[in-house]
Amino acid sequence: MLLLGSLLAGCAVIDPSARLQQADALARTAGWERRTLPAGGFALASWSPATQRAATLTVYVEGDGLAWLGASTVSPDPTPVQPVALQLALRHPGGAVAYLARPCQFQAGALPPACRSAVWTDARYSVHVIDSMNAALDQLKQRAGARHLVLVGYSGGGAVAALLAARRADVALLLTVAANLDTAAWARLQHLSPLAASLNPADYAAQLAHVPQQHWVGADDDIVPPAVLASYAARFPAGARPHVSVVPGVGHACCWQAGWAAMVAPLLPSGE
């Protein structure tokens, strides 16, 4: 059964340990350090500055990573080859910030038993996964002494961020980049099998209607086309539809990083 649906990196597969080392090196250039957060049966990787305290914490959530090696070949390790959300987080324009990887990404050594391939394929947005990410958010928030969260999700991480915002009362702002926020519409458009074991953020429009949101999608994105975001926004009442910006000349992974600070800075809560 074709379950492509993952937002493949179009480059050669690199050993997972090398991907971890590259992410560590990238974070160290900004003085960030890696922590492992035990959460819901998973050990989630997170990078952030060594010490920070603030009322609002911005958390960047990584995409689906290298979930598939081909149309019908599941990857043995979902660690992203190009961690776009980490690259965006390192360009955050100010305030307390952290990066949160998805379950089974950036694991040191062999993957633990909890890391079944379903975690990064059919069940990538399952209740189990969202519970884990939610527990990790609680830990990051407590560490920063924060009262509120800004959630930023790239690609499939945007779907995760939206599902987290739908269940929490402390999310001041939801931002996504190239995110498949209506997974049912996305699967139909891409002629993929539905993600039967996952939650669909579009089904939680009622819970998300009160959350301030901004979503960006590239006009040239053939992995998450703008129609997916339009379908998500259409699930909201007319007066509460989230803002979706279609950015000309931009695809899925390139080149959000270059102008990120200028894009996000005007939207952040005052004092963030």
Side-chain angles (χ1 to χ4, degrees), residues 62-262:
E62 190 55 79
D64 292 345
L66 189 65
W68 293 84
L69 300 180
S72 58
T73 304
V74 178
S75 171
D77 188 299
T79 299
V81 175
Q82 182 185 8
V84 174
L86 177 58
Q87 295 166 351
L88 296 177
L90 291 169
R91 290 166 172 79
H92 190 69
V97 59
Y99 164 86
L100 183 59
R102 304 271 292 283
C104 307
Q105 295 179 350
F106 297 111
Q107 301 293 296
L111 292 182
C115 289
R116 301 171 293 104
S117 61
V119 172
W120 56 90
T121 55
D122 188 49
R124 70 188 79 171
Y125 316 129
S126 65
V127 171
H128 185 203
V129 166
I130 302 305
D131 283 347
S132 172
M133 300 292 287
N134 196 52
L137 284 185
D138 288 341
Q139 294 176 55
L140 292 171
K141 182 182 171 186
Q142 182 178 24
R143 184 179 182 87
R147 298 192 303 274
H148 307 288
L149 294 171
V150 172
L151 299 183
V152 185
Y154 166 69
S155 192
V160 171
L163 289 166
L164 290 166
R167 66 160 57 183
R168 299 184 67 99
D170 56 0
V171 176
L173 179 63
L174 170 64
L175 306 175
T176 74
V177 175
N180 53 341
L181 294 176
D182 186 340
T183 57
W186 174 66
R188 288 193 300 270
L189 283 168
Q190 298 290 34
H191 306 290
L192 304 171
S193 297
L195 299 177
S198 289
L199 304 173
N200 181 2
D203 292 338
Y204 295 84
Q207 293 88 333
L208 288 165
H210 70 283
V211 180
Q213 303 175 50
Q214 167 66 51
H215 308 286
W216 293 277
V217 62
D220 299 334
D221 192 337
D222 57 0
I223 294 177
V224 178
V228 174
L229 279 297
S231 179
Y232 168 76
R235 298 286 291 272
F236 288 75
R241 286 181 181 162
H243 192 260
V244 175
S245 298
V246 180
V247 183
V250 176
H252 191 68
C254 179
C255 300
W256 298 104
Q257 299 88 331
W260 178 248

